[in-house]
Amino acid sequence: MEFDAILTPVEARWAFRVYAILAVVLGLLLSLWGPLWLGTDLPGLPWYKASLIRVAGGILIAAACFAWPLASLADPADSRRALLGFGAGHLLFFLVLAAQQAAIWESPLVDRIMTAVLLTGITFLFLRWGVVPGPPENAGLTTLSIFERPRPSLDSLRLRYQQQIR
């Protein structure tokens, strides 16, 4: 049994929808009630912690606003690129958090947040290679010029052709 055959029922669109819903809910909770739960002040900086918590909630809501439209991608190549972008973005965010945790924070809460961000990034990368059907496009290294239009994949051409026939 092939590895891809096990994973094909899960689709990228559901990953983006679930992510968007969870990010909006968590972002709203942080923005509205986060300072009540996590505190408001840092030593010598009144209300500074509350503003950072609310900004974090806003960032989550913004990420949800990016994820929701990606759920409507029909082309598997576009879905792969979106999954790769979200996965890489979360892994880079994890590295920033890890650097701040090591240098400044040393907080158990940040350890849990870092774990969630790392697992989210790994999940998106796993979905990128395991879920979206079809072979990965451009498996080797390529360069992309701003003057070149990306070529449509075979699946997107087939989908357009089938729509025209209907």
PDB file of all heavy atoms in Angstrom, residues 58-83:
ATOM      1  N   GLY A  58      -4.167  39.910  17.502  1.00  0.00           N
ATOM      2  CA  GLY A  58      -4.373  40.495  16.177  1.00  0.00           C
ATOM      3  C   GLY A  58      -3.593  39.765  15.095  1.00  0.00           C
ATOM      4  O   GLY A  58      -4.087  39.585  13.973  1.00  0.00           O
ATOM      5  N   ILE A  59      -2.392  39.330  15.417  1.00  0.00           N
ATOM      6  CA  ILE A  59      -1.587  38.565  14.455  1.00  0.00           C
ATOM      7  C   ILE A  59      -2.267  37.242  14.128  1.00  0.00           C
ATOM      8  O   ILE A  59      -2.301  36.816  12.965  1.00  0.00           O
ATOM      9  CB  ILE A  59      -0.158  38.350  14.995  1.00  0.00           C
ATOM     10  CG1 ILE A  59       0.596  39.685  15.009  1.00  0.00           C
ATOM     11  CG2 ILE A  59       0.593  37.306  14.196  1.00  0.00           C
ATOM     12  CD1 ILE A  59       1.922  39.653  15.732  1.00  0.00           C
ATOM     13  N   LEU A  60      -2.830  36.592  15.125  1.00  0.00           N
ATOM     14  CA  LEU A  60      -3.550  35.335  14.870  1.00  0.00           C
ATOM     15  C   LEU A  60      -4.767  35.563  13.980  1.00  0.00           C
ATOM     16  O   LEU A  60      -5.037  34.773  13.073  1.00  0.00           O
ATOM     17  CB  LEU A  60      -3.991  34.706  16.188  1.00  0.00           C
ATOM     18  CG  LEU A  60      -2.918  33.940  16.942  1.00  0.00           C
ATOM     19  CD1 LEU A  60      -3.402  33.565  18.329  1.00  0.00           C
ATOM     20  CD2 LEU A  60      -2.520  32.702  16.172  1.00  0.00           C
ATOM     21  N   ILE A  61      -5.490  36.638  14.215  1.00  0.00           N
ATOM     22  CA  ILE A  61      -6.651  36.940  13.379  1.00  0.00           C
ATOM     23  C   ILE A  61      -6.204  37.237  11.945  1.00  0.00           C
ATOM     24  O   ILE A  61      -6.836  36.795  10.981  1.00  0.00           O
ATOM     25  CB  ILE A  61      -7.465  38.104  13.980  1.00  0.00           C
ATOM     26  CG1 ILE A  61      -8.094  37.661  15.310  1.00  0.00           C
ATOM     27  CG2 ILE A  61      -8.543  38.584  13.021  1.00  0.00           C
ATOM     28  CD1 ILE A  61      -8.697  38.781  16.126  1.00  0.00           C
ATOM     29  N   ALA A  62      -5.099  37.961  11.791  1.00  0.00           N
ATOM     30  CA  ALA A  62      -4.573  38.239  10.447  1.00  0.00           C
ATOM     31  C   ALA A  62      -4.158  36.945   9.744  1.00  0.00           C
ATOM     32  O   ALA A  62      -4.416  36.768   8.549  1.00  0.00           O
ATOM     33  CB  ALA A  62      -3.384  39.199  10.525  1.00  0.00           C
ATOM     34  N   ALA A  63      -3.527  36.019  10.466  1.00  0.00           N
ATOM     35  CA  ALA A  63      -3.144  34.735   9.865  1.00  0.00           C
ATOM     36  C   ALA A  63      -4.383  33.963   9.424  1.00  0.00           C
ATOM     37  O   ALA A  63      -4.383  33.319   8.367  1.00  0.00           O
ATOM     38  CB  ALA A  63      -2.335  33.908  10.865  1.00  0.00           C
ATOM     39  N   ALA A  64      -5.455  34.054  10.199  1.00  0.00           N
ATOM     40  CA  ALA A  64      -6.706  33.394   9.813  1.00  0.00           C
ATOM     41  C   ALA A  64      -7.276  34.014   8.545  1.00  0.00           C
ATOM     42  O   ALA A  64      -7.819  33.304   7.696  1.00  0.00           O
ATOM     43  CB  ALA A  64      -7.722  33.489  10.949  1.00  0.00           C
ATOM     44  N   CYS A  65      -7.143  35.330   8.413  1.00  0.00           N
ATOM     45  CA  CYS A  65      -7.631  36.009   7.208  1.00  0.00           C
ATOM     46  C   CYS A  65      -6.846  35.586   5.970  1.00  0.00           C
ATOM     47  O   CYS A  65      -7.367  35.626   4.857  1.00  0.00           O
ATOM     48  CB  CYS A  65      -7.564  37.527   7.381  1.00  0.00           C
ATOM     49  SG  CYS A  65      -8.746  38.154   8.587  1.00  0.00           S
ATOM     50  N   PHE A  66      -5.604  35.176   6.129  1.00  0.00           N
ATOM     51  CA  PHE A  66      -4.829  34.656   5.007  1.00  0.00           C
ATOM     52  C   PHE A  66      -5.173  33.194   4.733  1.00  0.00           C
ATOM     53  O   PHE A  66      -5.201  32.760   3.587  1.00  0.00           O
ATOM     54  CB  PHE A  66      -3.324  34.774   5.274  1.00  0.00           C
ATOM     55  CG  PHE A  66      -2.789  36.157   5.096  1.00  0.00           C
ATOM     56  CD1 PHE A  66      -2.413  36.911   6.191  1.00  0.00           C
ATOM     57  CD2 PHE A  66      -2.665  36.717   3.838  1.00  0.00           C
ATOM     58  CE1 PHE A  66      -1.923  38.196   6.038  1.00  0.00           C
ATOM     59  CE2 PHE A  66      -2.182  37.992   3.663  1.00  0.00           C
ATOM     60  CZ  PHE A  66      -1.807  38.738   4.769  1.00  0.00           C
ATOM     61  N   ALA A  67      -5.419  32.426   5.794  1.00  0.00           N
ATOM     62  CA  ALA A  67      -5.657  30.992   5.631  1.00  0.00           C
ATOM     63  C   ALA A  67      -7.015  30.694   5.009  1.00  0.00           C
ATOM     64  O   ALA A  67      -7.137  29.763   4.215  1.00  0.00           O
ATOM     65  CB  ALA A  67      -5.534  30.281   6.976  1.00  0.00           C
ATOM     66  N   TRP A  68      -8.039  31.460   5.358  1.00  0.00           N
ATOM     67  CA  TRP A  68      -9.386  31.146   4.886  1.00  0.00           C
ATOM     68  C   TRP A  68      -9.489  31.143   3.358  1.00  0.00           C
ATOM     69  O   TRP A  68     -10.021  30.192   2.782  1.00  0.00           O
ATOM     70  CB  TRP A  68     -10.399  32.087   5.518  1.00  0.00           C
ATOM     71  CG  TRP A  68     -11.798  31.638   5.248  1.00  0.00           C
ATOM     72  CD1 TRP A  68     -12.649  32.118   4.308  1.00  0.00           C
ATOM     73  CD2 TRP A  68     -12.499  30.571   5.887  1.00  0.00           C
ATOM     74  NE1 TRP A  68     -13.837  31.437   4.333  1.00  0.00           N
ATOM     75  CE2 TRP A  68     -13.774  30.478   5.303  1.00  0.00           C
ATOM     76  CE3 TRP A  68     -12.170  29.678   6.908  1.00  0.00           C
ATOM     77  CZ2 TRP A  68     -14.721  29.540   5.697  1.00  0.00           C
ATOM     78  CZ3 TRP A  68     -13.110  28.747   7.306  1.00  0.00           C
ATOM     79  CH2 TRP A  68     -14.369  28.691   6.696  1.00  0.00           C
ATOM     80  N   PRO A  69      -8.990  32.175   2.647  1.00  0.00           N
ATOM     81  CA  PRO A  69      -9.094  32.121   1.178  1.00  0.00           C
ATOM     82  C   PRO A  69      -8.260  30.989   0.553  1.00  0.00           C
ATOM     83  O   PRO A  69      -8.597  30.501  -0.521  1.00  0.00           O
ATOM     84  CB  PRO A  69      -8.569  33.473   0.701  1.00  0.00           C
ATOM     85  CG  PRO A  69      -8.506  34.332   1.888  1.00  0.00           C
ATOM     86  CD  PRO A  69      -8.475  33.453   3.084  1.00  0.00           C
ATOM     87  N   LEU A  70      -7.184  30.582   1.230  1.00  0.00           N
ATOM     88  CA  LEU A  70      -6.369  29.494   0.690  1.00  0.00           C
ATOM     89  C   LEU A  70      -7.125  28.170   0.683  1.00  0.00           C
ATOM     90  O   LEU A  70      -6.776  27.255  -0.055  1.00  0.00           O
ATOM     91  CB  LEU A  70      -5.071  29.356   1.486  1.00  0.00           C
ATOM     92  CG  LEU A  70      -4.094  30.525   1.348  1.00  0.00           C
ATOM     93  CD1 LEU A  70      -2.909  30.330   2.267  1.00  0.00           C
ATOM     94  CD2 LEU A  70      -3.651  30.706  -0.082  1.00  0.00           C
ATOM     95  N   ALA A  71      -8.171  28.068   1.475  1.00  0.00           N
ATOM     96  CA  ALA A  71      -8.972  26.846   1.502  1.00  0.00           C
ATOM     97  C   ALA A  71      -9.749  26.655   0.208  1.00  0.00           C
ATOM     98  O   ALA A  71     -10.211  25.554  -0.075  1.00  0.00           O
ATOM     99  CB  ALA A  71      -9.931  26.885   2.690  1.00  0.00           C
ATOM    100  N   SER A  72      -9.886  27.700  -0.591  1.00  0.00           N
ATOM    101  CA  SER A  72     -10.662  27.585  -1.831  1.00  0.00           C
ATOM    102  C   SER A  72      -9.791  27.276  -3.050  1.00  0.00           C
ATOM    103  O   SER A  72     -10.309  27.226  -4.164  1.00  0.00           O
ATOM    104  CB  SER A  72     -11.439  28.887  -2.072  1.00  0.00           C
ATOM    105  OG  SER A  72     -10.536  29.949  -2.276  1.00  0.00           O
ATOM    106  N   LEU A  73      -8.507  27.045  -2.856  1.00  0.00           N
ATOM    107  CA  LEU A  73      -7.641  26.708  -3.983  1.00  0.00           C
ATOM    108  C   LEU A  73      -8.020  25.355  -4.560  1.00  0.00           C
ATOM    109  O   LEU A  73      -8.132  24.368  -3.836  1.00  0.00           O
ATOM    110  CB  LEU A  73      -6.172  26.679  -3.552  1.00  0.00           C
ATOM    111  CG  LEU A  73      -5.564  28.011  -3.139  1.00  0.00           C
ATOM    112  CD1 LEU A  73      -4.145  27.790  -2.625  1.00  0.00           C
ATOM    113  CD2 LEU A  73      -5.572  28.991  -4.288  1.00  0.00           C
ATOM    114  N   ALA A  74      -8.233  25.314  -5.877  1.00  0.00           N
ATOM    115  CA  ALA A  74      -8.615  24.058  -6.530  1.00  0.00           C
ATOM    116  C   ALA A  74      -7.416  23.333  -7.128  1.00  0.00           C
ATOM    117  O   ALA A  74      -7.428  22.123  -7.272  1.00  0.00           O
ATOM    118  CB  ALA A  74      -9.647  24.330  -7.622  1.00  0.00           C
ATOM    119  N   ASP A  75      -6.390  24.071  -7.467  1.00  0.00           N
ATOM    120  CA  ASP A  75      -5.223  23.492  -8.121  1.00  0.00           C
ATOM    121  C   ASP A  75      -4.304  22.859  -7.076  1.00  0.00           C
ATOM    122  O   ASP A  75      -3.893  23.522  -6.124  1.00  0.00           O
ATOM    123  CB  ASP A  75      -4.483  24.586  -8.892  1.00  0.00           C
ATOM    124  CG  ASP A  75      -3.316  24.046  -9.682  1.00  0.00           C
ATOM    125  OD1 ASP A  75      -3.295  22.841  -9.960  1.00  0.00           O
ATOM    126  OD2 ASP A  75      -2.431  24.863 -10.045  1.00  0.00           O
ATOM    127  N   PRO A  76      -3.962  21.578  -7.216  1.00  0.00           N
ATOM    128  CA  PRO A  76      -3.070  20.930  -6.249  1.00  0.00           C
ATOM    129  C   PRO A  76      -1.706  21.607  -6.150  1.00  0.00           C
ATOM    130  O   PRO A  76      -1.130  21.663  -5.068  1.00  0.00           O
ATOM    131  CB  PRO A  76      -2.928  19.504  -6.781  1.00  0.00           C
ATOM    132  CG  PRO A  76      -4.142  19.274  -7.601  1.00  0.00           C
ATOM    133  CD  PRO A  76      -4.483  20.604  -8.198  1.00  0.00           C
ATOM    134  N   ALA A  77      -1.189  22.132  -7.248  1.00  0.00           N
ATOM    135  CA  ALA A  77       0.109  22.810  -7.198  1.00  0.00           C
ATOM    136  C   ALA A  77       0.018  24.068  -6.341  1.00  0.00           C
ATOM    137  O   ALA A  77       0.928  24.364  -5.560  1.00  0.00           O
ATOM    138  CB  ALA A  77       0.579  23.158  -8.609  1.00  0.00           C
ATOM    139  N   ASP A  78      -1.083  24.816  -6.479  1.00  0.00           N
ATOM    140  CA  ASP A  78      -1.271  26.004  -5.643  1.00  0.00           C
ATOM    141  C   ASP A  78      -1.428  25.610  -4.176  1.00  0.00           C
ATOM    142  O   ASP A  78      -0.898  26.290  -3.290  1.00  0.00           O
ATOM    143  CB  ASP A  78      -2.496  26.796  -6.102  1.00  0.00           C
ATOM    144  CG  ASP A  78      -2.293  27.452  -7.453  1.00  0.00           C
ATOM    145  OD1 ASP A  78      -1.127  27.639  -7.863  1.00  0.00           O
ATOM    146  OD2 ASP A  78      -3.304  27.781  -8.108  1.00  0.00           O
ATOM    147  N   SER A  79      -2.143  24.532  -3.924  1.00  0.00           N
ATOM    148  CA  SER A  79      -2.314  24.062  -2.546  1.00  0.00           C
ATOM    149  C   SER A  79      -0.975  23.663  -1.948  1.00  0.00           C
ATOM    150  O   SER A  79      -0.688  23.958  -0.789  1.00  0.00           O
ATOM    151  CB  SER A  79      -3.268  22.874  -2.507  1.00  0.00           C
ATOM    152  OG  SER A  79      -4.563  23.270  -2.868  1.00  0.00           O
ATOM    153  N   ARG A  80      -0.136  23.008  -2.738  1.00  0.00           N
ATOM    154  CA  ARG A  80       1.195  22.629  -2.255  1.00  0.00           C
ATOM    155  C   ARG A  80       2.024  23.851  -1.897  1.00  0.00           C
ATOM    156  O   ARG A  80       2.684  23.877  -0.861  1.00  0.00           O
ATOM    157  CB  ARG A  80       1.940  21.817  -3.315  1.00  0.00           C
ATOM    158  CG  ARG A  80       1.483  20.410  -3.448  1.00  0.00           C
ATOM    159  CD  ARG A  80       2.364  19.708  -4.504  1.00  0.00           C
ATOM    160  NE  ARG A  80       1.867  18.409  -4.797  1.00  0.00           N
ATOM    161  CZ  ARG A  80       2.147  17.332  -4.066  1.00  0.00           C
ATOM    162  NH1 ARG A  80       2.895  17.433  -3.021  1.00  0.00           N
ATOM    163  NH2 ARG A  80       1.640  16.165  -4.396  1.00  0.00           N
ATOM    164  N   ARG A  81       1.989  24.860  -2.751  1.00  0.00           N
ATOM    165  CA  ARG A  81       2.747  26.084  -2.462  1.00  0.00           C
ATOM    166  C   ARG A  81       2.224  26.777  -1.210  1.00  0.00           C
ATOM    167  O   ARG A  81       2.994  27.276  -0.397  1.00  0.00           O
ATOM    168  CB  ARG A  81       2.704  27.017  -3.659  1.00  0.00           C
ATOM    169  CG  ARG A  81       3.654  26.626  -4.775  1.00  0.00           C
ATOM    170  CD  ARG A  81       3.770  27.714  -5.834  1.00  0.00           C
ATOM    171  NE  ARG A  81       2.554  27.833  -6.624  1.00  0.00           N
ATOM    172  CZ  ARG A  81       2.262  27.072  -7.675  1.00  0.00           C
ATOM    173  NH1 ARG A  81       3.095  26.120  -8.044  1.00  0.00           N
ATOM    174  NH2 ARG A  81       1.153  27.250  -8.346  1.00  0.00           N
ATOM    175  N   ALA A  82       0.915  26.811  -1.047  1.00  0.00           N
ATOM    176  CA  ALA A  82       0.334  27.443   0.135  1.00  0.00           C
ATOM    177  C   ALA A  82       0.711  26.687   1.409  1.00  0.00           C
ATOM    178  O   ALA A  82       1.059  27.298   2.423  1.00  0.00           O
ATOM    179  CB  ALA A  82      -1.179  27.526  -0.012  1.00  0.00           C
ATOM    180  N   LEU A  83       0.652  25.356   1.360  1.00  0.00           N
ATOM    181  CA  LEU A  83       1.045  24.551   2.519  1.00  0.00           C
ATOM    182  C   LEU A  83       2.520  24.754   2.845  1.00  0.00           C
ATOM    183  O   LEU A  83       2.897  24.872   4.016  1.00  0.00           O
ATOM    184  CB  LEU A  83       0.761  23.075   2.266  1.00  0.00           C
ATOM    185  CG  LEU A  83      -0.709  22.664   2.262  1.00  0.00           C
ATOM    186  CD1 LEU A  83      -0.861  21.257   1.702  1.00  0.00           C
ATOM    187  CD2 LEU A  83      -1.297  22.760   3.647  1.00  0.00           C
TER     188      LEU A  83
END
